[in-house]
Amino acid sequence: NLQVLENLLGLEGYSIRRANDGLECLEILGRGEVPDLILLDVMMPGIDGFETCKRLKANPITASIPVIFMTALSEERHQLRGFTLGAVDYVTKPLQEPVLIARIETHLRLQAQRRDLVVARKAAEAASEAKSAFLSKLSHELRTPLTGVLGLLDAAEDGGLSAEDREAMRGSGLHLLSLIDDLLSAARGNLDAMSLSASPQSILPLVRECVATFRPRAEAKGLRFRLDA
């Protein structure tokens, strides 16, 4: 029976790995040879097909492999037990070759679709994580120049803006506008318009910008905020 089935599936172009009993099947799978589908008889030497299926479904590595039972046991209780153990189909002997091939093709196609769904789900999860990280970073980047603008506005209420304060406010506003432009470019998918380049820079202008941004808020809270450079 095994040889007839092997010849039939070979003519259909399938790659076959044969096991003569349940223990040999488990041994093969234990070596990392994971097939796309398993055709499993019930009445076999050693452990029967039901026990073999039970062990397959208990192993996380083999649990998702579709199992089709092929057996002469045609009673409803046997079929119900097979499905309860996790089989996707139950074919009784004598086998009708066109029906068997059709069922194999159907379950292989369904298995491929399940794998595609898993890949798509993982891609969606990765995209969601990337989006969350992007929004978190964006929130931080937008908050910084806004903090500077609000701090300078608070200072203006207390006594007006100096020329230095006005320049700091202008710088914060331009920074915020630049961030919004970059965000809009990314949203349109116009990433080619954005470029990054690394070059040596003096840290002093950056420190001065930070001082100008945060000094008004710090002073409003009675904190000393000074740059020695």
Side-chain angles (χ1 to χ4, degrees):
N1 285 335
L2 281 173
Q3 189 61 54
V4 169
L5 183 60
E6 195 169 351
N7 292 339
L8 169 65
L9 297 177
L11 291 174
E12 294 293 329
Y14 292 111
S15 176
I16 310 300
R17 184 66 169 91
R18 174 174 170 174
N20 294 302
D21 54 52
L23 289 177
E24 185 179 351
C25 170
L26 296 172
E27 180 183 349
I28 292 171
L29 295 173
R31 295 198 297 263
E33 300 181 39
V34 181
D36 295 313
L37 184 142
I38 295 175
L39 302 175
L40 188 61
D41 203 342
V42 173
M43 296 182 291
M44 299 185 294
I47 61 174
D48 65 16
F50 291 138
E51 177 63 23
T52 303
C53 184
K54 181 179 178 180
R55 296 188 189 185
L56 289 171
K57 296 305 177 181
N59 186 340
I61 298 176
T62 57
S64 63
I65 304 174
V67 174
I68 298 179
F69 275 112
M70 298 184 308
T71 177
L73 300 177
S74 58
E75 295 182 24
E76 183 177 341
R77 62 187 180 90
H78 293 126
Q79 297 184 34
L80 180 60
R81 186 179 179 190
F83 286 121
T84 302
L85 289 171
V88 297
D89 213 334
Y90 195 102
V91 181
T92 57
K93 297 177 181 178
L95 299 175
Q96 300 180 39
E97 296 179 2
V99 173
L100 176 62
I101 295 300
R103 293 189 177 185
I104 290 174
E105 291 178 350
T106 296
H107 290 294
L108 286 174
R109 185 165 57 251
L110 290 173
Q111 179 73 342
Q113 291 173 352
R114 282 190 290 267
R115 289 174 178 170
D116 290 343
L117 286 174
V118 170
V119 171
R121 185 188 65 194
K122 290 181 178 179
E125 290 173 352
S128 179
E129 291 176 1
K131 178 182 177 182
S132 297
F134 170 74
L135 290 176
S136 176
K137 179 68 174 177
L138 177 64
S139 174
H140 173 76
E141 293 296 332
L142 293 177
R143 194 182 303 274
T144 300
L146 280 175
T147 298
V149 172
L150 293 174
L152 291 168
L153 287 174
D154 290 340
E157 292 177 358
D158 294 335
L161 291 176
S162 65
E164 183 181 358
D165 289 338
R166 286 194 296 272
E167 184 60 28
M169 183 178 286
R170 173 179 171 80
S172 293
L174 291 174
H175 184 200
L176 183 58
L177 181 60
S178 175
L179 290 172
I180 292 173
D181 287 341
D182 289 344
L183 174 62
L184 291 174
S185 293
R188 298 190 197 101
N190 189 22
L191 299 180
D192 292 338
M194 303 173 64
S195 62
L196 298 176
S197 60
S199 63
Q201 298 290 326
S202 171
I203 197 174
L204 187 56
L206 176 61
V207 175
R208 285 174 175 163
E209 181 182 339
C210 291
V211 170
T213 298
F214 293 104
R215 179 176 53 77
R217 279 294 179 93
E219 292 178 348
K221 295 181 180 181
L223 302 174
R224 297 180 60 189
F225 200 76
R226 187 181 66 197
L227 170 64
D228 293 324

